[in-house]
Amino acid sequence: MDKFWLKSYPASIPAEIDFNQYQSLVQMLEESFKKFAARDAYACMGKTLTYGQLDTFSKQVGGWLQSKGLKKGARVAIMMPNVLQYPVVMAAILRAGYTVVNVNPLYTPRELEHQLKDSGAEAIFILENFATTLEQVLSKTPVKHVVVATMGDLLGFKGLIVNFVVRNVKKLVPAFSLPNAISFKKMMSEASGASFQPASLGHNDIAFLQYTGGTTGVSKGATLSHKNIIANILQNDAWLGSKEGFSGSAEQKIFVCALPLYHIFALTVCSLLGTRIGAMNLLIPNPRDIPGFIKELKNYRVNVFPAVNTLYNGLLNNPEFASLDFSGYQICSGGGMAVQQAVADKWLKTTGCAIAEGYGLSETSPVATANLPNTKEFTGSIGLPIPSTEIKILDDDGKEVPLGTAGEIAIRGPQVMVGYWNRPDETANVMTPDGFFKSGDIGIMDERGFTKIVDRKKDMILVSGFNVYPNEIEGVVAMHPGVLECACIGVPDANSGEAVKLFVVRKDPTLTVEQLMDYCKQQFTAYKKPKYIEFRTELPKTNVGKILRRELRDEKK
């Protein structure tokens, strides 16, 4: 395949990466644990954990898991927000030779039951705040070992105060009964005496089961091997390392990890890439608490800030944010959803650091394309294929379309998943015979190799035979000064088949439907113009902050 986009690479980015330099992800992690032993690896709520401590604690917890008789390849679930226990447990599971099953702590009992049964998880580490959910389904799952953590477990004396506030003041821990569970503290005490056997691991062993948000129906586990994850870490390292003044300096980098670690974006781009380069990750347990988040940011000279559009927007709309010191900001990367021009422009103006948008999915570990880290402005595209990655744009018959034509984005590279866990039929639906993963996203690639997403295949609205892409509508409407957030969907229409319906959260409470309709009339050709506008106080979102058009569509049925 002609990788013509390589002509757009700066000389500092290699065309290919060598993922064979590591046999397993564990080998890569352990190398960093030793190399950076004295450095802080994670900070959370004012407490830090060094790479040396991470090494010691994860080895002990790995030994404890092995003492329970779990066989190599067993699945172990983690159901926690961004707290210090997360990286310890994640490294422990991997080092002991098991597979990490990342679980969204906000899952309902039904969603949790599905994931634990589907993955066959035999053990789970869970924060007490969510233990009541597990209690309701535990007997219906294969889970035999439950470890219950508290917010304060690794915070020293401060942890006692934190736990008191969480339980008694904020009342964030609903009553639960898990009689056979063990507390994280007791487990750590037992673990200190457990013997640990290093696992024999290779590229094809499974590191993570990353459950997709179920946007195509039932939630499926993207099976990510050690090779997949090693490859994506090295691809990201090569990409970000090309940033002038980024990799050459001996100064430790500080990453903001506000996106949840159970999400593939934060997992690879913050936690694992951060470990690879000896960075410190600032863990934010609740990024929705914007004032609390900003208070944390005041204490650190941040260098790398990965986020989604809604998080960037939320920070910018708090007046305190503009008073922070942005002099350390080197890389701000946007992913998970389309970054809107209005948000990107305001972020650049406020921080002086342009958002470099990237693109990926759980199925691609996640990064497949990215804008160059030296970018000085928001491009509106998802960038170029990263090293060792190929992109094709396909029509409905799976044939490649000419450059400049819209079609489905298909991705091939060492970061593409092994398949969906125990779902060969679903895997066959998304993989082409020559090994490309069909993303379900519609994009257009230009002659330089930059791709622009125009929408998800099934989010497209068909108005009188014309294609309307919600991303375009939302991006333009978001630039209206009276609009805070928006989303649009297609609704049935007797005349045109479908019509555009717009949902808006107002920034200006005096904004009227008529004013917004006038604005849209000026911005869009007739068939793209919303026929209906509905004001809302909030829009449904995933825990990562992605707006759920699906829920808005389902309401209309």
Side-chain angles (χ1 to χ4, degrees), residues 159-409:
L160 299 173
I161 302 163
V162 167
N163 285 343
F164 179 82
V165 171
V166 165
R167 291 168 181 164
N168 304 302
V169 180
K170 296 191 175 176
K171 301 201 179 332
L172 295 174
V173 184
F176 66 90
S177 170
L178 292 167
N180 297 320
I182 183 172
S183 72
F184 188 87
K185 282 216 154 154
K186 185 165 185 229
M187 180 276 302
M188 286 296 283
S189 158
E190 288 182 11
S192 62
S195 70
F196 170 76
Q197 292 300 315
S200 170
L201 294 163
H203 279 179
N204 297 326
D205 286 300
I206 306 306
F208 295 94
L209 290 186
Q210 276 305 123
Y211 277 76
T212 67
T215 48
T216 52
V218 69
S219 183
K220 305 177 285 289
T223 306
L224 303 178
S225 67
H226 281 255
K227 180 185 96 172
N228 293 152
I229 301 292
I230 290 166
N232 208 235
I233 295 166
L234 294 176
Q235 287 166 323
N236 280 297
D237 191 11
W239 199 260
L240 296 190
S242 72
K243 167 90 177 173
E244 210 176 311
F246 185 76
S247 57
S249 89
E251 181 193 9
Q252 185 183 22
K253 303 298 174 198
I254 295 180
F255 284 48
V256 174
C257 189
L259 298 172
L261 282 167
Y262 63 78
H263 188 272
I264 191 69
F265 186 15
L267 181 72
T268 302
V269 177
C270 294
S271 178
L272 297 172
L273 175 63
T275 299
R276 158 83 177 160
I277 67 170
M280 188 195 83
N281 265 286
L282 170 60
L283 297 179
I284 306 294
N286 179 19
R288 291 181 179 190
D289 170 14
I290 296 284
F293 184 5
I294 291 171
K295 207 169 154 187
E296 279 290 303
L297 289 173
K298 280 181 178 163
N299 299 322
Y300 300 91
R301 191 169 183 268
V302 168
N303 307 114
V304 182
F305 202 137
V308 293
N309 187 77
T310 40
L311 188 54
Y312 284 132
N313 195 28
L315 288 167
L316 289 167
N317 279 294
N318 184 299
E320 281 287 298
F321 180 69
S323 66
L324 294 179
D325 171 17
F326 304 113
S327 62
Y329 282 37
Q330 292 179 288
I331 294 169
C332 294
S333 52
M337 64 187 291
V339 176
Q340 292 168 338
Q341 180 88 44
V343 173
D345 289 349
K346 192 173 177 188
W347 184 266
L348 176 58
K349 192 178 170 189
T350 306
T351 68
C353 188
I355 297 174
E357 198 170 3
Y359 169 74
L361 309 98
S362 295
E363 293 91 339
T364 58
S365 305
V367 185
T369 72
N371 275 280
L372 295 166
N374 279 328
T375 187
K376 298 283 189 288
E377 60 184 7
F378 178 69
T379 68
S381 91
I382 54 168
L384 300 163
I386 60 174
S388 298
T389 305
E390 298 162 277
I391 300 284
K392 281 203 297 198
I393 308 291
L394 306 175
D395 65 16
D396 289 342
D397 298 323
K399 294 191 177 68
E400 208 170 342
V401 301
L403 288 177
T405 309
E408 185 171 8
I409 298 168

Side-chain angles (χ1 to χ4, degrees), residues 61 64-65 67-68 80 85 89 122-128 131 134 138 143-150 153 176-192:
V61 176
W64 183 85
L65 280 168
S67 76
K68 298 298 162 194
M80 295 193 275
Q85 296 95 313
V89 170
E122 293 178 54
I124 186 169
F125 290 79
I126 186 168
L127 195 72
E128 63 175 358
L134 179 63
L138 186 60
V143 173
K144 302 184 200 67
H145 308 283
V146 179
V147 180
V148 181
T150 73
D153 280 333
F176 66 90
S177 170
L178 292 167
N180 297 320
I182 183 172
S183 72
F184 188 87
K185 282 216 154 154
K186 185 165 185 229
M187 180 276 302
M188 286 296 283
S189 158
E190 288 182 11
S192 62

